[in-house]
Amino acid sequence: MRKDPKLFQHGTLAMLVAGLFDGTMSIEELLKHGDSGIGTCSGLDGEMVILDGIAYTIRRNGTVEALSGDVKTPFACVHFDPKSPGQKVSGFSLPELEAYLKGQGMGNIFYAVKLTGRFAKMKTRTVFKQEKPYPGLSEVADQQAVFEGENTTGTLIGYYAPDLYQGIASSGFHLHYLSADHALGGHVLDFQLAEADLSLTPFIHLPTSNADFLQANFDLASLNDQIQQAEH
Amino acid sequence: MRKDPKLFQHGTLAMLVAGLFDGTMSIEELLKHGDSGIGTCSGLDGEMVILDGIAYTIRRNGTVEALSGDVKTPFACVHFDPKSPGQKVSGFSLPELEAYLKGQGMGNIFYAVKLTGRFAKMKTRTVFKQEKPYPGLSEVADQQAVFEGENTTGTLIGYYAPDLYQGIASSGFHLHYLSADHALGGHVLDFQLAEADLSLTPFIHLPTSNADFLQANFDLASLNDQIQQAEH
């Protein structure tokens, strides 16, 4: 039996927003649940990229390091890459990629996205390792290091989360990048694609073939009131 | 290797709020992912209770029916009951149970809860089967049938979701009940416990042994702004 692709997530983004940066799961344990994904290390020590079963961190000075199994993470998402054949895409910027995928009815689905190829432009950031007492995530993001590269070859990996998942994940795209030569990486702020293979891995505990669901607009502003009224 | 307890959820509560009541997963498929849980049927046809690998629905007239494998559900949560020994509890009302568990540091953890025993009072509701075009969930809840019983013996089962999961789940407790004689059941509105075994099954992809996390108060009101600022 083919197993459905599953996303494994440790922690929530809301925990990082609240400054809960202590690592609480080892990389060794994390990699039992997936060979591909993104995350961060204890103390928010860099941006993590997991590819082919190896976890890397991109540090504040831009260096890339493969992590040993005993390093701990407060927040990471992994899945097993089904290595399904991708589609050739070219020319997209980040907003254009998002608009393209939403146009294909992917706006309400939670899925992994991987782009492997050449990027005309790539702009990333990394956060800095923090010490206790930890600040909140938005203060940390104000001090980020930004890196830019042209004509880099590498892998962009991450997730698209529908708006409903804001807080558990980061709604919309949450993407990290690692160049093949390990000279550039981090949390993706922007890019301009030259050409790449695009592969998508939907996590299908949602009704991915139901037309009403795919087209629905969820009114998050009134959701809390409506659930309180209906369920209690 | 002991497997960590996992929650399997099909659909989201936000989908029900938006009136997406079409069943999109069969009971046969659902029961591959768990033997215990809660849900509803296509068209919001009653309140579903899953116990020991059998899915039951409690209909608008209060009758209880075991569901065949081809019945479809738009929303259900299941897990495999680890059958771990419970603790004897007595006298709790629903708010008292919630306060007791929050006091034990369970407020930020997602877990299954099961109470098996005798209830001095039990108040449930069931929703009515809807036809297309479907109304929203809050309109349906206005027309619910309410049932009350005294000194009933049975099983209360469901989940506690931290506030962050509002919309994906129903934040707080979401509990269904089925009496041993199948004379009373539905979505639990209130109860007064006589005495029962209480068993809790935490889903541990969250850092359940990290004291900072267990005690944290998450500011959901500002969460969206903070993530937008930090991650984009």
Side-chain angles (χ1 to χ4, degrees):
Chain A
M1 187 180 102
R2 189 181 64 79
K3 288 192 75 172
D4 293 331
K6 287 202 174 104
L7 170 66
F8 178 86
Q9 179 171 317
H10 179 69
T12 63
L13 204 70
M15 288 171 50
L16 299 187
V17 168
L20 294 166
F21 301 157
D22 277 351
T24 44
M25 176 176 280
S26 71
I27 297 299
E28 180 182 6
E29 175 65 25
L30 180 70
L31 294 177
K32 292 177 185 171
H33 300 280
D35 58 15
S36 302
I38 61 176
T40 189
C41 296
S42 200
L44 228 60
D45 188 10
E47 308 283 344
M48 194 192 296
V49 174
I50 300 119
L51 291 174
D52 293 324
I54 300 171
Y56 303 92
T57 191
I58 297 101
R59 296 203 194 280
R60 63 181 293 177
N61 61 359
T63 57
V64 177
E65 185 185 324
L67 296 168
S68 64
D70 59 343
V71 171
K72 289 197 168 177
T73 173
F75 176 80
C77 305
V78 292
H79 65 285
F80 286 103
D81 186 350
K83 308 271 186 191
S84 45
Q87 51 180 307
K88 295 276 178 203
V89 289
S90 60
F92 284 131
S93 66
L94 179 52
E96 286 165 352
L97 178 68
E98 183 156 13
Y100 167 73
L101 291 170
K102 277 204 172 159
Q104 298 200 333
M106 303 288 281
N108 286 331
I109 296 175
F110 206 128
Y111 59 90
V113 54
K114 188 167 90 159
L115 276 167
T116 308
R118 197 162 51 82
F119 295 82
K121 292 184 181 175
M122 175 59 70
K123 184 177 178 182
T124 65
R125 72 104 191 268
T126 70
V127 286
F128 291 176
K129 183 170 197 281
Q130 304 295 314
E131 303 294 339
K132 282 197 156 184
Y134 296 131
L137 184 64
S138 44
E139 287 166 66
V140 178
D142 286 345
Q143 313 156 26
Q144 64 196 10
V146 174
F147 303 99
E148 296 190 61
E150 298 198 352
N151 275 309
T152 84
T153 297
T155 302
L156 177 153
I157 191 158
Y159 301 92
Y160 175 84
D163 288 347
L164 183 58
Y165 296 83
Q166 180 75 310
I168 293 169
S170 173
S171 75
F173 280 125
H174 187 177
L175 306 172
H176 287 191
Y177 179 72
L178 183 62
S179 69
D181 61 6
H182 290 192
L184 179 65
H187 174 103
V188 173
L189 295 175
D190 202 5
F191 66 77
Q192 185 71 42
L193 194 59
E195 53 181 6
D197 281 316
L198 168 65
S199 76
L200 306 174
T201 307
F203 304 111
I204 60 165
H205 59 293
L206 294 169
T208 52
S209 59
N210 182 270
D212 290 345
F213 170 69
L214 296 178
Q215 290 157 19
N217 287 309
F218 294 102
D219 177 13
L220 297 188
S222 67
L223 189 63
N224 186 55
D225 288 346
Q226 291 193 64
I227 293 177
Q228 288 293 337
Q229 185 190 336
E231 295 292 318
H232 296 281
Chain B
M1 188 179 101
R2 192 181 62 80
K3 289 192 75 170
D4 292 332
K6 285 201 174 105
L7 171 65
F8 176 87
Q9 179 171 318
H10 178 69
T12 63
L13 204 70
M15 289 173 49
L16 300 187
V17 169
L20 294 166
F21 301 157
D22 277 350
T24 46
M25 175 174 280
S26 70
I27 297 300
E28 181 181 7
E29 176 65 23
L30 180 70
L31 294 177
K32 292 178 185 169
H33 301 280
D35 58 15
S36 302
I38 61 174
T40 190
C41 296
S42 199
L44 226 60
D45 189 10
E47 309 283 344
M48 195 191 296
V49 174
I50 300 120
L51 290 175
D52 293 323
I54 300 171
Y56 302 92
T57 190
I58 298 101
R59 298 204 193 279
R60 63 182 294 177
N61 61 0
T63 58
V64 176
E65 184 185 325
L67 296 168
S68 63
D70 58 345
V71 170
K72 289 195 166 176
T73 173
F75 176 80
C77 305
V78 292
H79 65 285
F80 286 103
D81 186 350
K83 309 270 185 191
S84 45
Q87 51 180 306
K88 294 277 178 201
V89 289
S90 59
F92 284 130
S93 66
L94 179 52
E96 285 166 353
L97 178 67
E98 184 156 12
Y100 167 72
L101 291 170
K102 278 205 170 155
Q104 297 199 333
M106 302 288 280
N108 286 332
I109 295 176
F110 206 130
Y111 59 90
V113 55
K114 187 165 91 159
L115 276 168
T116 308
R118 195 163 53 83
F119 296 82
K121 291 183 183 178
M122 174 60 69
K123 183 178 179 182
T124 65
R125 73 103 191 266
T126 70
V127 286
F128 292 177
K129 184 169 196 282
Q130 304 294 313
E131 303 294 337
K132 282 198 155 183
Y134 296 131
L137 184 64
S138 44
E139 289 167 65
V140 178
D142 285 345
Q143 313 156 25
Q144 65 197 8
V146 174
F147 303 99
E148 296 190 60
E150 297 199 351
N151 276 307
T152 87
T153 297
T155 302
L156 177 152
I157 191 157
Y159 301 93
Y160 175 84
D163 289 346
L164 183 57
Y165 294 84
Q166 179 76 311
I168 293 168
S170 174
S171 75
F173 279 125
H174 186 176
L175 307 171
H176 288 191
Y177 179 72
L178 184 61
S179 68
D181 60 7
H182 290 193
L184 178 65
H187 175 103
V188 173
L189 295 175
D190 201 7
F191 65 76
Q192 185 70 43
L193 192 59
E195 54 182 2
D197 281 317
L198 168 65
S199 76
L200 306 174
T201 307
F203 304 111
I204 61 165
H205 59 293
L206 294 168
T208 51
S209 59
N210 181 272
D212 290 344
F213 170 70
L214 295 179
Q215 290 158 19
N217 287 311
F218 294 102
D219 177 12
L220 297 189
S222 68
L223 189 62
N224 186 55
D225 288 346
Q226 291 193 63
I227 292 178
Q228 288 294 337
Q229 185 190 337
E231 294 293 318
H232 296 282

